[in-house]
C-alpha cells in the first residue's frame, strides 16, 4: 500500500529565510507521480508541482525548487526567500499508476498529513 | 481559479439528514475524484468517476454515494448524517492520468 509521511507538523520561519519541507513516500509501483499542494487559510487546495517517477531531474521554478531522490524515497520541497503569503499548509501526495496504464486508470492521491508553514514578518 | 466548481460552499444540517454536494469539472476533464478532509483523518480519497462510470473506491462509507452525469458534473450524496461526517469535501478533476485540480470545497457541518 502506498503511504506518504510528512514528519514536520509545523514550521515557523522569518520572512526571507529559505525553508525545506520534507516528504517520504512508500510505494510498490515502479511508475508513480509525486505532487505538492498548498492549502492557504482560505481552504482551497492549490497544485504546485508534479514529478514523474521516471524523471529524477530536479528543477527550480521561481522561488520553488524540489529534490526528488528515488534512492531514499524522498520528495522534498524548498521555498527560497519565503514571504508571508507562503503561510499555508503544504501537502505532499503520491499517485500510483492505478488500474492499467491508460488515461482511464485510477490515479487517486494519497496525501501526507501536511506541514503547516508560518512565515513571520 | 482551478476551473473546478463546487456548490454549495457551506452546508449546515442536522444528524440523520441527507445532503447532496455538486461538482463541475474543468472543461475537457473526464475524471472526477471526491476527497474528504477532516481533522482526525486528514485528506482521504473517497471515490472516482471516469466519463460516467465508477472507476475506484476508497474509504467511502456505505451511507455515501456518488454519480457522474452525461454532462460530466458529479454529485456526492451523504445520507443518515452523523456528527463525524462534518468535514471539508473536495472534488478534483483531471484529464486521465494528469494532475488533479481541486475545487474550492464544500464545508459540511452536522449539528
Amino acid at each position: 500500500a502506498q503511504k506518504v509521511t510528512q514528519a514536520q507538523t509545523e514550521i515557523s520561519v522569518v520572512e526571507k529565510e529559505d525553508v525545506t519541507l520534507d516528504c517520504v513516500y512508500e510505494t510498490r509501483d515502479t511508475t508513480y507521480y509525486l505532487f505538492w499542494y498548498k492549502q492557504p487559510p482560505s481552504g482551497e487546495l492549490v497544485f504546485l508541482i508534479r514529478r514523474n517517477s521516471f524523471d529524477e531531474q530536479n528543477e527550480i521554478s521561481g522561488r520553488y525548487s524540489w529534490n526528488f531522490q528515488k534512492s531514499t524515497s524522498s520528495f522534498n520541497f524548498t521555498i527560497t526567500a519565503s514571504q508571508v503569503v507562503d503561510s499555508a499548509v503544504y501537502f505532499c501526495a503520491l499517485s500510483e499508476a492505478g488500474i492499467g496504464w491508460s488515461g482511464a486508470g485510477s490515479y487517486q492521491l494519497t496525501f501526507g498529513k501536511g506541514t503547516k508553514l508560518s512565515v513571520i514578518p | 481559479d482551478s476551473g473546478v466548481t463546487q456548490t454549495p460552499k457551506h452546508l449546515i444540517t442536522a444528524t440523520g439528514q441527507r445532503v447532496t454536494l455538486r461538482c463541475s469539472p474543468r472543461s475537457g476533464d473526464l475524471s472526477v475524484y471526491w476527497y474528504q478532509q477532516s481533522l482526525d483523518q486528514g485528506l482521504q480519497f473517497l471515490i472516482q468517476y471516469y466519463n460516467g462510470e465508477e472507476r475506484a473506491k476508497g474509504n467511502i462509507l456505505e451511507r455515501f454515494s456518488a454519480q457522474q452525469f452525461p454532462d460530466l458534473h458529479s454529485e456526492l450524496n451523504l445520507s443518515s448524517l452523523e456528527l463525524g461526517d462534518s468535514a471539508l469535501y473536495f472534488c478534483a478533476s483531471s484529464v486521465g492520468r494528469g494532475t488533479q485540480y481541486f475545487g474550492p470545497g464544500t464545508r459540511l457541518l452536522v449539528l
Side-chain angles (χ1 to χ4, degrees):
Chain A
Q2 51 189 3
K3 183 179 178 182
V4 176
T5 301
Q6 295 180 253
Q8 304 153 309
T9 306
E10 294 192 40
I11 299 177
S12 289
V13 298
V14 176
E15 201 172 18
K16 298 184 183 177
E17 287 185 347
D18 298 348
V19 58
T20 295
L21 309 181
D22 297 335
C23 173
V24 174
Y25 63 92
E26 295 177 28
T27 178
R28 294 179 183 171
D29 275 17
T30 55
T31 302
Y32 51 89
Y33 302 98
L34 294 162
F35 303 82
W36 278 96
Y37 285 87
K38 172 184 179 180
Q39 187 173 39
S42 50
E44 72 271 25
L45 276 169
V46 179
F47 164 72
L48 295 176
I49 57 175
R50 162 186 165 140
R51 179 55 67 194
N52 305 330
S53 58
F54 43 85
D55 182 1
E56 286 192 73
Q57 182 179 353
N58 294 309
E59 295 183 17
I60 298 174
S61 176
R63 295 188 298 110
Y64 298 156
S65 62
W66 48 97
N67 186 352
F68 174 35
Q69 293 193 349
K70 287 178 78 170
S71 60
T72 56
S73 297
S74 65
F75 184 51
N76 299 335
F77 176 63
T78 297
I79 303 174
T80 302
S82 60
Q83 301 175 0
V84 173
V85 293
D86 295 327
S87 297
V89 180
Y90 290 81
F91 291 95
C92 179
L94 166 70
S95 170
E96 296 174 336
I99 303 168
W101 183 240
S102 71
S106 180
Y107 302 94
Q108 67 258 38
L109 296 169
T110 296
F111 286 89
K113 294 292 187 185
T115 298
K116 182 178 181 181
L117 173 64
S118 298
V119 181
I120 304 165
Chain B
D1 185 355
S2 67
V4 179
T5 61
Q6 286 187 250
T7 57
K9 194 167 185 178
H10 300 278
L11 199 49
I12 302 175
T13 188
T15 54
Q17 295 298 304
R18 172 188 170 95
V19 297
T20 297
L21 313 183
R22 182 187 170 104
C23 169
S24 292
R26 296 187 316 158
S27 178
D29 286 359
L30 299 179
S31 276
V32 170
Y33 298 79
W34 286 96
Y35 294 85
Q36 178 194 59
Q37 184 178 28
S38 62
L39 284 175
D40 52 345
Q41 298 291 330
L43 269 161
Q44 287 196 105
F45 166 70
L46 294 178
I47 195 165
Q48 179 210 357
Y49 277 80
Y50 178 84
N51 201 21
E53 293 186 0
E54 182 183 303
R55 181 61 58 178
K57 266 186 173 179
N59 297 321
I60 187 166
L61 300 172
E62 285 191 11
R63 300 184 284 108
F64 296 0
S65 64
Q67 52 184 330
Q68 186 179 28
F69 295 86
D71 67 351
L72 300 179
H73 91 271
S74 178
E75 293 181 356
L76 179 66
N77 301 296
L78 315 176
S79 61
S80 302
L81 285 167
E82 302 175 358
L83 296 178
D85 297 328
S86 296
L88 188 51
Y89 291 85
F90 287 105
C91 82
S93 74
S94 71
V95 178
R97 68 190 73 167
T99 297
Q100 291 179 37
Y101 291 90
F102 284 76
T106 293
R107 193 172 295 275
L108 173 67
L109 179 59
V110 183
L111 299 176

